[in-house]
């Protein structure tokens, strides 16, 4: 039996980006808030100080800051008629663990989605007709619009100090920014970061080809900044050990640098680290959450009762906790009923490496930051006419090279042996003059009827519960999209002056062993219809009205951008609904 | 703060000292409660342990010699830069296999183990340490049967090269081991040790970083981000400093 703790007003599951945002908003409302975090407390001086943080083997290759598969993993298969096997060691994505969540070791690429992304189904059907969409595609509108979210995008950008150049200021297109972005109320809080050599060369080539390049919006700050909570950040030093690593410099926006020091000093907030929530408890009606049960590091179980439960455990863990708590109806792709686990998605990414003549080009490629980069957005979302191309969706492309850590950045052109004297000479020849854009092609991933999450029939976690099963593949629409974007990207790399251009395309089957971002989405999607969504437009559970589910699990499909700015904006949006609507009269905010 | 119950003892660093997964191995440490202030402990931290030079920790002497020979084939010495052997790649692999990596620590190793598709990832109860042992035994046997009883490390370098090419082309098959796939793993590991920080046993004296022009564990390029197409002038530095900084006893 779990030992029962005194009741709180609010319990928050997971103290990463969204948990920190929500905790700060609800403590401002005077509520007693307890956050429960699975992993340890983490901070720069202790966990990633400048004396030993620049360790590629430890942090990148051996995943020091991430969850261990032994703690929690998933099973995976491509198709419904295959047997799913466990992900024994991380590959395609890398789940977070510990206070700060993914905010600790993310890149900080901070994109707004396009206005049309939020009404995708309506928009595409109007423009191309319903028959243009693949039959098994299950995209839908979000139930919230860009204009509604704009003030909350702004809040999160100003919390983080985001560095960038506005492209659309209250409807006016601005030189040097992204002309395709939705209108923003005010400029970015800080100026765009200065760019290293290869990034500027990319921008020049793109401009000459007729595109409108702009600096990637960045959570690695160009300058010192004090946010509205009084948190002070320093300028990024382009150390080149950013994504996978923590920032030792207080330059990367994270819960630690932007919210937690302020939050933790509040009397009505407390948190427990090293405590994993096992399930959300509901009362006999099944319509009201009564709190959560968690297990501490010694294996002891505790019950934390609360009036309001916030599930902010990162998208895929949200879905898993809903399934383990038996909240909502699990999705059944055959009968096409149920919602929990439906519309799972990822990101369709690829890249093109460019090898330049070292006598003419020295890029000092080790100088970089997690979200540095020059990008073009001509081929994102529906920014171009898809009519002739036979696919929908798109992505941004850009030289977003974040550094050149040697284990992963000693590349050789295709056709070079992978070992031996020639390999060694070629590595030496090209290291300083290679363009390696990481996620250079960053495409969307739309949702499909047979791509989903459910519970595995065979494999169990360390508590004896079924692992969650991922059924995931790449569909022709995404493969075509990627081919188109990668070819466009390769043209720009060639125009930069590369003597050898090496594209790699994303192809089917989906591969669980190669990293493809940790932008995994859906499974508890938001929407206007309880038959096709788990949460309403305020991220409130349709089934259990005192439960809100934050994170990218709410995305009905994934646009061609990184998720977190939208994830954070949605958390502020949900917090606003709780503060201004729910607390006035707790209960369903929308009838379904 | 009114909640008495949450003032549980804070054994923070005791919990955190190892990696997070330690806490699932029956450690008695309590969960940590964070309130009022950042849970700060002076001098806490978890710096890496540099490997110590000396005899093999995991390999037998013959295994060690074989891996050294493999390392020199994969990264042959040349006039400017030592090969994989002298750079310490075999030492790196030995120490990795002797540590948590060799034992698959932190990975999901619950049964059943089924053979899957390549894109479902490694599915074996055996960790890298055991797999290396089995590969090296089969490799040794194949070398001896082809070259009149000679182990790989005693072959002429041209013969070694040809033998590896044949394994890659699957012209030579190893008993019970996928020679081609495992050799690809050895290539990866030798190169990883060559480019990792010297504290792991490879990249001795930062030879690999000097070869390519990587300045190492520096932290601040603020003055350099805008200096385009200019060579960065400073030599590399590792997490444990640079040979010139250390006393002779430390070298
Ligand atoms: C290497 C990397 C690079 C990335 N780069 C970018 C980028 O450039 N741009 C971008 O937009 N996004 C990026 N992301 C994604 C970004 O990190 C996430 O979108 C973001 O952190 C999500 O916020 P969240 O609050 O939903 O989850 P998180 O911030 O991950 O927080 C969830 C927290 O819940 C905890 N938790 C989970 N389960 C439980 C449980 N059962 N009990 C208690 N606690 C639990 C976790 O330990 C974690 O601390 C990146 C991710 C990674 C891994
Ligand atoms: S690149 Fe900048 S933001 Fe990233 S870790 Fe280094 S100093 Fe911090």
């Amino acid at each position: 039996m779990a030992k029962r703790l005194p009741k709180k007003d609010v319990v928050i599951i997971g103290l990463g980006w969204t948990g920190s945002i929500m905790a700060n908003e609800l403590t401002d409302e005077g509520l007693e808030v307890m956050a429960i975090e699975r992993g340890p407390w983490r901070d720069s001086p202790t966990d990633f100080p400048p004396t030993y943080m620049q360790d590629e083997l430890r942090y990148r290759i051996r995943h020091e800051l991430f969850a261990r598969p032994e703690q929690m993993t998933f099973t995976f298969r491509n198709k419904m008629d295959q047997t799913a096997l466990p992900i024994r060691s991380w590959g395609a994505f890398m789940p977070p663990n510990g206070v700060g969540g993914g905010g600790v070791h993310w890149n900080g690429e901070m994109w707004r989605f396009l206005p049309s992304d939020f009404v995708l189904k309506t928009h595409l059907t109007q423009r191309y007709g319903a028959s243009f969409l693949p039959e098994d595609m299950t995209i839908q509108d979000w139930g919230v619009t860009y204009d509604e979210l704009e003030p909350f995008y702004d809040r999160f950008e100003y919390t983080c100090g985001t560095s960038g150049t506005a492209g659309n200021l209250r409807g006016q297109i601005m030189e040097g920014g992204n002309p395709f972005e939705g209108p923003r109320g005010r400029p970015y809080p800080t100026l765009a970061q200065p760019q290293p050599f290869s990034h500027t060369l990319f921008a020049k080539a793109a401009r000459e080809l007729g595109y409108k390049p702009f600096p990637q919006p960045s959570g690695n700050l160009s300058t010192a900044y004090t946010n509205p909570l009084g948190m002070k950040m320093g300028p990024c030093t382009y150390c080149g050990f950013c994504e996978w690593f923590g920032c030792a410099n207080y330059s990367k926006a994270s819960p630690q640098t932007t919210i937690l020091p302020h939050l933790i000093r509040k009397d009505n907030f407390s948190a427990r680290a090293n405590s994993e929530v096992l399930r959300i408890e509901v009362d006999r009606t099944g319509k009201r959450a009564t709190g959560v049960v968690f297990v501490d590091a010694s294996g002891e179980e505790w019950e934390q009762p609360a009036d309001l439960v916030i599930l902010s455990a990162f998208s895929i863990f949200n879905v898993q906790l809903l399934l383990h708590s038996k909240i909502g109806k699990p999705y059944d792709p055959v009968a096409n009923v149920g919602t929990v686990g439906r519309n799972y998605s990822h990101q369709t990414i690829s890249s093109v490496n460019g090898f330049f003549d070292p006598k003419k080009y020295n890029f000092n490629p080790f100088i970089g930051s997690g979200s540095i980069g020059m990008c073009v957005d001509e081929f994102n979302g529906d920014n171009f006419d898809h009519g002739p191309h036979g696919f929908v969706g798109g992505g941004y492309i850009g030289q977003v090279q974040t550094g050149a850590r040697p284990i992963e950045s000693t590349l050789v052109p295709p056709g070079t042996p992978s070992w031996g004297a020639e390999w060694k000479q070629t590595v030496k020849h090209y290291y300083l003059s290679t363009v390696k854009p990481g996620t250079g092609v960053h495409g969307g991933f739309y949702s499909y009827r047979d791509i989903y999450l459910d519970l595995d029939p065979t494999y169990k976690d360390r508590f004896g519960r079924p692992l969650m099963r991922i059924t995931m593949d790449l569909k022709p629409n995404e493969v075509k999209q990627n081919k188109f974007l990668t070819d466009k990207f390769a043209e720009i790399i060639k125009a930069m002056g590369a003597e050898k251009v090496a594209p790699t395309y994303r192809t089917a089957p989906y591969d669980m062993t190669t990293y493809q971002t940790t932008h995994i989405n859906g499974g508890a999607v938001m929407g206007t219809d309880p038959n096709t969504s788990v949460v309403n437009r305020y991220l409130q559970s349709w089934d259990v009205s005192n439960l809100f589910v934050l994170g990218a699990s709410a995305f009905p499909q994934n646009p061609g951008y990184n998720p977190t700015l939208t994830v954070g904006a949605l958390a502020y949006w949900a917090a606003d609904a709780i503060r201004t609507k729910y607390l006035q009269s707790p209960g369903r905010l929308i009838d379904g | 703060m009114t909640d008495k119950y949450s003032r549980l003892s804070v054994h923070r660093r005791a919990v955190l000292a190892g990696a997070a997964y330690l806490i699932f191995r029956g450690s008695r440490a309590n969960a940590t409660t964070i309130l009022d202030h950042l849970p700060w402990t002076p001098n806490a931290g978890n710096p890496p342990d540099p490997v110590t030079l000396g005899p093999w920790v995991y390999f037998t002497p013959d295994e060690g010699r074989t891996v050294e020979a493999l390392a020199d084939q994969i990264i042959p010495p040349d006039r400017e830069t030592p090969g994989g052997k002298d750079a310490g790649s075999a030492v790196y692999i030995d120490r990795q296999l002797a540590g948590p990596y060799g034992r698959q620590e932190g990975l999901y190793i619950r049964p059943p183990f089924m053979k899957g598709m390549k894109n479902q990832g490694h599915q074996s109860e055996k960790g890298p340490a055991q797999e290396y042992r089995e590969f090296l035994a089969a490799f040794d046997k194949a070398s001896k049967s082809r070259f009149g009883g000679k182990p790989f490390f005693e072959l002429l370098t041209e013969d070694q090269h040809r033998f590896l090419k044949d394994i890659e082309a699957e012209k030579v098959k190893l008993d019970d081991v996928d020679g081609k796939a495992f050799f690809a793993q050895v290539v990866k590991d030798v190169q990883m040790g060559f480019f990792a920080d010297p504290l792991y046993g490879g990249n001795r004296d930062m030879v690999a970083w000097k070869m390519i022009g990587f300045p190492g564990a520096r932290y601040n390029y603020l003055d350099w981000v805008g200096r385009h197409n200019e060579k960065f002038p400073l030599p590399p530095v590792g997490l444990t400093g640079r040979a010139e900084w250390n006393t002779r006893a430390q070298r």
Side-chain angles (χ1 to χ4, degrees):
Chain A
M1 264 308 273
K3 286 192 201 150
R4 210 181 155 90
L5 296 165
K7 187 165 166 180
K8 289 280 181 180
D9 295 323
V10 184
V11 63
I12 293 190
I13 307 169
L15 191 56
W17 260 132
T18 54
S20 305
I21 290 171
M22 188 56 92
N24 194 47
E25 294 298 297
L26 297 186
T27 43
D28 271 357
E29 209 54 51
L31 300 173
E32 285 280 328
V33 175
M34 163 68 92
I36 300 176
E37 165 57 47
R38 172 176 68 191
W41 171 261
R42 291 192 195 287
D43 211 350
S44 318
T46 44
D47 298 271
F48 29 87
T51 42
Y52 58 75
M53 186 278 272
Q54 313 89 313
D55 187 338
E56 185 181 14
L57 185 73
R58 176 179 183 177
Y59 292 101
R60 168 63 185 101
I61 307 292
R62 304 277 186 251
H63 320 151
E64 167 98 5
L65 297 174
F66 293 85
R68 298 292 192 269
E70 176 187 46
Q71 267 174 275
M72 182 60 62
T73 189
F74 311 96
T75 64
F76 158 71
R77 60 182 180 176
N78 288 127
K79 301 211 177 327
M80 289 173 64
D81 59 5
Q82 294 168 338
T83 305
L85 296 184
I87 304 170
R88 297 188 180 274
S89 145
W90 300 127
F93 56 83
M94 206 68 58
N97 190 47
V99 173
V104 168
H105 45 60
W106 71 326
N107 302 59
E109 300 169 342
M110 301 189 68
W111 294 83
R112 293 182 176 202
F113 292 174
L114 297 168
S116 59
D117 285 331
F118 292 97
V119 289
L120 187 70
K121 179 78 182 281
T122 307
H123 173 90
L124 292 179
T125 317
Q126 276 170 4
R127 184 163 177 188
Y128 304 106
S131 63
F132 194 71
L133 301 176
E135 211 179 316
D136 57 345
M137 192 182 262
T138 50
I139 54 174
Q140 60 197 46
D141 295 357
W142 292 55
V144 64
T145 64
Y146 175 86
D147 290 342
E148 287 174 315
L149 269 192
E150 202 285 330
F152 303 99
Y153 269 137
D154 178 275
R155 283 249 357 239
F156 195 30
E157 285 168 347
Y158 274 73
T159 299
C160 292
T162 314
S163 299
T165 306
N168 181 342
L169 204 52
R170 294 181 291 272
Q172 197 184 336
I173 301 302
M174 310 293 290
E175 188 60 34
N178 179 4
F180 296 96
E181 71 172 354
R184 55 175 64 247
R186 49 178 173 163
Y188 281 100
T190 55
L191 292 178
Q193 291 180 284
Q195 301 285 331
F197 180 35
S198 66
H199 305 61
T200 55
L201 205 59
F202 176 86
K204 182 165 170 283
R207 218 171 285 119
E208 283 164 8
L209 288 170
Y211 301 119
K212 299 216 158 43
F214 56 91
Q216 173 165 242
S218 171
N220 317 143
L221 300 204
S222 60
T223 175
Y225 177 70
T226 305
N227 83 2
L229 299 178
M231 302 292 101
K232 290 185 183 353
M233 296 170 71
C236 165
T237 58
Y238 309 91
C239 77
F241 289 83
C242 201
E243 77 283 13
W244 312 104
F245 304 80
C247 179
N249 222 20
Y250 299 87
S251 311
K252 172 157 73 173
S254 66
Q256 277 80 347
T257 52
T258 64
I259 298 174
L260 290 172
H262 172 80
L263 173 64
I264 277 164
R265 287 185 175 78
K266 293 179 177 177
D267 276 351
N268 52 347
F269 176 76
S270 53
R272 274 170 187 264
N274 297 311
S275 299
E276 175 158 356
V277 172
L278 295 177
R279 62 184 175 274
I280 300 162
E281 296 276 282
V282 288
D283 69 6
R284 239 176 271 128
T285 67
K287 297 201 178 325
R288 224 193 123 64
T290 55
V292 303
V293 169
F294 67 93
V295 56
D296 71 15
S298 64
E300 186 142 17
E301 280 193 20
W302 301 82
E303 184 183 345
Q304 175 61 65
D307 286 328
L308 182 62
V309 177
I310 304 294
L311 178 52
S312 52
F314 183 67
S315 69
I316 196 164
F317 296 120
N318 290 345
V319 182
Q320 181 208 27
L321 275 170
L322 288 174
L323 288 172
H324 284 147
S325 309
K326 302 192 164 51
I327 293 175
K329 194 172 160 65
Y331 174 59
D332 173 353
V334 178
N336 204 12
V337 293
T339 52
V340 183
R342 181 174 170 271
N343 279 22
Y344 178 67
S345 66
H346 199 165
Q347 202 87 64
T348 312
I349 65 140
S350 64
S351 205
V352 176
N353 298 318
F355 298 87
F356 290 68
D357 180 355
K359 289 196 279 310
K360 292 193 219 140
Y361 300 92
N362 178 343
F363 294 130
N364 289 329
F366 42 82
I367 301 178
S369 83
S371 43
I372 197 88
M374 293 300 289
C375 300
V376 305
D377 216 19
E378 270 77 358
F379 303 112
N380 214 326
D382 202 33
N383 291 345
F384 62 106
D385 181 9
H386 287 75
H389 302 301
F391 66 86
V392 288
Y396 68 84
I397 55 183
Q399 164 52 338
V400 293
Q401 184 162 359
T402 61
R405 301 177 294 265
I407 294 174
E408 285 197 308
S409 302
T410 37
L411 305 181
V412 291
T416 315
S418 57
W419 55 278
E422 190 185 340
W423 169 82
K424 189 181 181 194
Q425 277 313 310
T426 313
V427 162
K428 179 181 172 181
H429 183 77
Y430 276 124
Y431 173 75
L432 293 173
S433 60
T434 300
V435 163
K436 176 181 176 279
T439 315
V441 173
H442 193 280
F445 195 120
Y446 288 171
S447 40
Y448 296 89
R449 179 158 168 182
D450 59 352
I451 292 183
Y452 68 105
L453 304 169
D454 68 351
L455 293 178
D456 190 87
T458 309
Y459 290 94
K460 303 274 188 290
D461 69 15
R462 64 184 208 282
F463 304 111
R465 304 175 301 178
L467 295 185
M468 200 161 64
R469 173 169 67 182
I470 300 173
T471 304
M472 161 61 100
D473 210 349
L474 277 147
K475 299 282 181 165
N477 184 74
E478 275 58 41
V479 172
K480 274 188 228 164
Q481 177 228 95
N482 181 264
K483 171 86 171 62
F484 178 81
L485 290 174
T486 308
D487 287 342
K488 294 286 179 202
F489 189 45
E491 276 169 27
I492 311 179
I493 302 281
K494 180 135 197 33
M496 286 169 72
E499 55 187 23
K500 288 180 184 140
V501 177
T504 41
Y505 300 94
R506 181 70 43 197
T507 51
Y510 180 90
D511 182 358
M512 194 44 93
T513 66
T514 52
Y515 188 70
Q516 300 162 53
T517 79
T518 304
H519 311 160
I520 47 180
N521 324 283
V525 314
M526 64 192 296
T528 50
D529 178 357
N531 292 315
T532 53
S533 55
V534 171
V535 293
N536 66 23
R537 72 192 221 103
Y538 300 116
L539 305 186
Q540 180 185 35
S541 158
W542 288 111
D543 297 281
V544 175
S545 64
N546 63 336
L547 168 68
F548 286 74
V549 186
L550 314 180
S553 47
F555 292 9
Q557 60 275 335
N558 195 21
Y561 299 103
N562 311 58
T564 309
L565 185 61
T566 304
V567 164
L570 283 170
Y572 279 111
W573 155 260
D576 184 68
I578 294 173
R579 296 178 72 169
T580 60
K581 297 188 174 74
Y582 181 85
L583 292 176
Q584 315 321 322
S585 90
R588 275 185 158 196
L589 294 176
I590 290 174
D591 287 328
Chain B
M1 196 66 210
T2 48
D3 316 277
K4 299 273 180 320
Y5 67 86
S6 53
R7 293 196 182 271
L8 296 175
S9 52
V10 177
H11 300 297
R12 195 178 78 82
R13 211 57 220 180
V15 179
L16 304 192
Y21 59 84
L22 277 181
I23 63 177
F24 301 112
R25 313 219 137 165
S27 136
R28 299 303 303 163
N30 274 321
T32 326
T33 303
I34 300 159
L35 69 166
D36 298 341
H37 59 278
L38 298 178
W40 161 268
T41 319
N43 301 321
N46 192 4
D49 276 331
V51 311
T52 40
L53 296 179
W56 301 113
V57 178
Y58 179 72
F59 290 140
T60 64
D62 274 5
E63 285 172 342
R65 252 172 253 146
T66 305
V67 177
E68 285 185 335
L70 280 161
D72 259 0
Q73 279 298 323
I74 292 164
I75 308 178
D78 58 43
R79 246 177 288 137
E80 284 151 21
T81 309
K85 175 182 173 206
D86 285 347
S89 281
V91 176
Y92 160 84
I93 295 174
D94 176 68
R95 303 305 195 265
Q96 288 292 309
L97 296 180
Y101 169 75
R103 299 187 292 269
Q104 305 204 79
E105 220 170 272
L107 303 191
Y108 183 85
I109 39 178
R110 287 169 199 272
F113 291 92
M114 297 187 245
K115 200 172 153 38
M117 297 173 304
K118 198 161 168 273
N119 67 350
Q120 290 178 306
H122 187 252
Q123 299 287 336
S124 165
E125 202 168 5
K126 297 175 195 165
Q130 195 181 339
E131 289 180 338
Y132 256 91
R133 181 134 292 150
E134 289 173 12
F135 163 78
L136 289 170
F139 183 74
D140 187 57
K141 199 169 148 210
S143 167
K144 284 176 176 158
S145 85
R146 171 143 159 204
F147 296 100
K150 273 197 185 170
F152 181 75
F153 55 83
E154 282 176 9
L155 305 181
L156 295 172
T157 165
E158 301 80 65
D159 287 339
Q160 289 179 341
H161 186 82
R162 211 166 310 120
F163 186 56
L164 293 177
K165 283 279 178 204
D166 285 351
I167 285 183
E168 253 192 335
E170 294 182 289
K171 283 186 212 151
V172 170
K173 296 260 188 208
L174 305 188
D175 288 356
D176 301 324
V177 175
D178 181 344
K180 179 184 165 155
F182 205 89
F183 177 60
Q185 182 64 43
V186 178
V187 168
K188 212 170 137 186
D189 289 340
V190 165
Q191 293 174 349
M192 197 177 279
F194 191 61
F195 290 120
D197 191 278
L199 74 88
Y200 294 103
N203 192 14
R204 211 167 279 163
D205 292 330
M206 297 176 284
V207 288
W209 293 355
K210 286 176 195 156
M211 172 181 107
I212 58 176
F214 175 64
R218 295 187 177 277
Y219 209 77
N220 191 340
Y221 298 114
L222 209 43
D223 295 341
W224 274 85
V225 65
R227 289 173 75 163
H228 291 173
N229 218 2
E230 247 184 88
K231 192 161 170 51
F232 184 78
L234 300 177
V237 59
L239 289 174
T240 45
R242 215 170 29 234
E244 307 90 283
W245 298 355
N246 301 337
T247 64
R248 196 166 305 159
Q250 285 174 314
R251 271 179 223 171

